[in-house]
């Protein structure tokens, strides 16, 4: 059943999305401020369950592309959202957009679509393209379903607007990314326009609800003097990997991405986190504890406040948790797109819950 | 009166355009081959004088963007021309394109539009955007008339197609250029869509005719044992600056451009040519002989065959000639866009014909 997302719930959504953003995706509070502003101006947003989408709905992802390190300094505006959606509509032979959906349920791209939906007076689908955050445009489950990212529309704060139809989804990432970098490292985009019938099978369901639950678990645990980190682990069906102090952070913003490493000293051991916008590998000595596509999250030790990769600082006391990704991310094809090797990490593909990494190969055996 | 451009005349056009390309713009023979092929398949092209354009004509420039050094290795196809024009038409609220025009009368972009016109069954306007060749998209006289480059459409050989509406013409250059580099350093674009009424004042008239005349002057002089270089100088109202042997060429393809310098040893003196796709400064010692926006051309000593910057080789015996540009290029605003300082050359603005560089300031005085 549809439910109504109010300005109050946006705070929980933002906190939950910061957790599910696995360190990346940009600060969701930036999008939350915009969402609250849009809801005050235009009213609350209707959130539609994925299985209630009409077959002929026209769903598009609305997202911000860019380096999270830049996003926190250069705030998006609703003007750019409108410009990008308008450009998408003019490029869609299928006509009017009926629903907005999140590309990722992590980071700013979980809350910005709320702002877009409120501003445009459109419902938001309770779903997203990945069940987490990933750094590149093509890295959504619809790519694996053969759905085109094109037309991709984009807009910046200077009034530049564009639409591309690309040979494949990786070309969409390549062309729009260089345009994004040239336009100042953040732009608003719309992508993966699809019919309701396609969306129902290509997307991850209940993502918005899940993010609100995660955020609320943190808020409620704090209010009742319980351990927020433990409550997040429970909601996500995850596990705590490590606790310690941040002792070193190296980061660089290159080619539109925030890349780097963090070292966390524990009681007996040292954890090394590698990130490219998101945390992608957690390793203690030679032991790989978790890797992309599973979710690796860094939370402040006591408050459970999620810490983004650009928020990591020397001296922070943190706990690192992991949770299983949508199982579709563990197919061989998916791992080629988002596995550790794609990002240049020489670690074995590793499935957090202990089951083998290529389940569909087992089906064949 | 309209005239018909046949496959035979395309050869003269190509040779003339190689002269007017002032060393850049890509090898026009690449476009000529495509134009001949298109004329054989679809019939000759009607060339319409600028002053006969109907007010409500919809004229667009069709051009290749990229590094000339790459263009000679990666040939364009008529498929990309069609894709770019189709994308432009879908983005133009004004509707159907009625005429094709050259962005520049130098290089490949003088002959490619012939191929486009033949393929699309549209007339070509006897005009161009600059009366020569320049390396960047915004560097056309319509920019000075306040005409928008947008929508700019682009297409590559891989099937990638895009359209941008930019904040200004410089942003069009910036965004489409980075996309071009990412797409492999050559793409087909359409730009500066404008009504006939605008085109009649914003463009340089009779450019196609002039390029054919220059090409024919070379051919005829050779046939009658006259000096081809002298005949080109006469047609263009120019002057021979220097004769000598190429003794050094330095070039690099950076950020999508072919940049470099050439040294030519004469009987008593040394000429240094600086280029960025086109020849932009000709200097003998401390004496500047000619600079952009005036035309600097390098011709083979005896045959008068134009030599592009990427064709310059050690040991070539050449003659360097210059001719005045369209006078509109010498306004203060125009010189900011295409004067030596814009390209990073620390030489004084210099008007080839000896008259002062800012004629409109004289009018005021």
């Amino acid at each position: 059943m549809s439910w109504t997302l109010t300005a109050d719930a946006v705070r929980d959504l933002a906190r939950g999305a910061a957790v599910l953003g696995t360190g990346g995706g940009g600060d969701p509070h930036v999008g939350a401020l915009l969402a609250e502003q849009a809801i005050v101006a235009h009213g609350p947003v209707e959130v539609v369950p994925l299985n209630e989408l009409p077959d002929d709905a026209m769903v598009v992802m609305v997202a911000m592309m860019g380096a999270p390190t830049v996003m926190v300094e250069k705030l998006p505006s609703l003007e750019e959202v409108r410009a990008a959606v308008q450009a998408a509509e003019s490029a869609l032979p299928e006509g009017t957009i009926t629903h907005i959906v999140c590309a990722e349920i992590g980071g700013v791209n979980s809350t910005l679509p709320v702002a877009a939906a409120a501003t445009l007076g459109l419902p938001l689908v309770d779903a997203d393209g990945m069940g987490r955050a990933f750094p590149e445009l093509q890295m959504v489950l619809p790519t694996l379903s053969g759905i085109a990212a094109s037309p991709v529309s984009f807009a910046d704060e200077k009034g530049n607007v564009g639409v591309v139809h690309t040979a494949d989804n990786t070309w969409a990432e390549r062309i729009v990314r260089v345009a994004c970098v040239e336009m100042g490292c953040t732009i608003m985009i719309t992508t993966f326009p699809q019919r309701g019938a396609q969306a129902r099978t290509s997307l991850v369901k209940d993502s918005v609800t899940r993010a609100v639950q995660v955020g609320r678990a943190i808020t409620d645990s704090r209010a009742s003097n319980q351990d927020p980190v433990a409550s997040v682990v429970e909601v996500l069906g995850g596990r705590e990997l490590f606790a310690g102090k941040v002792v070193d952070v190296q980061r660089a913003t290159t080619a539109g991405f925030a890349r780097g490493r963090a070292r966390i000293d524990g009681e007996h051991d040292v954890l090394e986190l590698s990130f490219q916008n998101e945390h992608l590998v957690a390793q203690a000595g030679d032991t790989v504890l978790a890797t992309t596509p599973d979710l690796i999250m860094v939370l402040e030790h006591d408050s459970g406040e999620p810490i983004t990769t650009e928020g990591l600082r020397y001296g922070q006391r943190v706990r690192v948790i992991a949770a299983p990704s949508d199982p579709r991310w563990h197919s061989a094809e998916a791992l080629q797109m988002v596995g550790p090797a794609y990002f240049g990490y020489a670690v074995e593909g590793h499935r957090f819950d202990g089951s083998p990494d290529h389940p569909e190969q087992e089906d064949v055996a």
Side-chain angles (χ1 to χ4, degrees), chain A residues 127-176:
Chain A
D128 80 310
M130 43 183 116
R132 50 164 297 157
F134 274 128
E136 299 182 13
L137 188 151
Q138 78 280 12
M139 294 175 173
V140 292
L141 291 167
T143 292
L144 298 175
S145 301
I147 295 171
S150 296
V152 185
S153 71
F154 55 89
D156 73 3
E157 79 289 356
K158 294 172 279 287
N160 296 310
V161 180
V163 179
V164 293
H165 291 77
T166 56
D168 60 34
N169 294 356
T170 304
W171 271 109
E173 162 65 23
R174 288 180 61 173
I175 296 170
V176 181

Side-chain angles (χ1 to χ4, degrees), chain A residues 50-60 89 92-99 123 125 193-200:
Chain A
L50 192 56
N51 61 11
E52 290 181 19
L53 261 188
D55 277 0
D56 63 347
M58 176 47 69
V59 186
V60 297
E89 287 208 324
L92 280 172
E94 299 88 354
T96 317
I97 293 164
T98 61
H99 292 75
V125 185
Q194 52 193 306
R195 289 287 174 203
Q198 296 175 296
R200 285 204 303 273

Side-chain angles (χ1 to χ4, degrees), chain A residues 23 69 246-254 257-264 270-281 308-316 345:
Chain A
T69 37
V246 178
V247 294
D248 192 31
V249 185
Q250 292 170 21
R251 64 166 74 82
T253 302
T254 51
F257 295 111
R259 291 194 172 91
R261 285 165 188 279
R263 222 178 97 111
I264 301 168
V270 174
L271 188 81
E272 184 162 291
L273 278 176
S274 302
F275 54 84
Q276 179 175 326
N277 288 16
E278 284 76 38
H279 297 299
L280 297 175
V281 178
T308 58
T309 57
E310 71 268 18
L312 279 173
R313 298 279 181 279
Y314 174 85
Q316 284 167 333
Y345 301 117

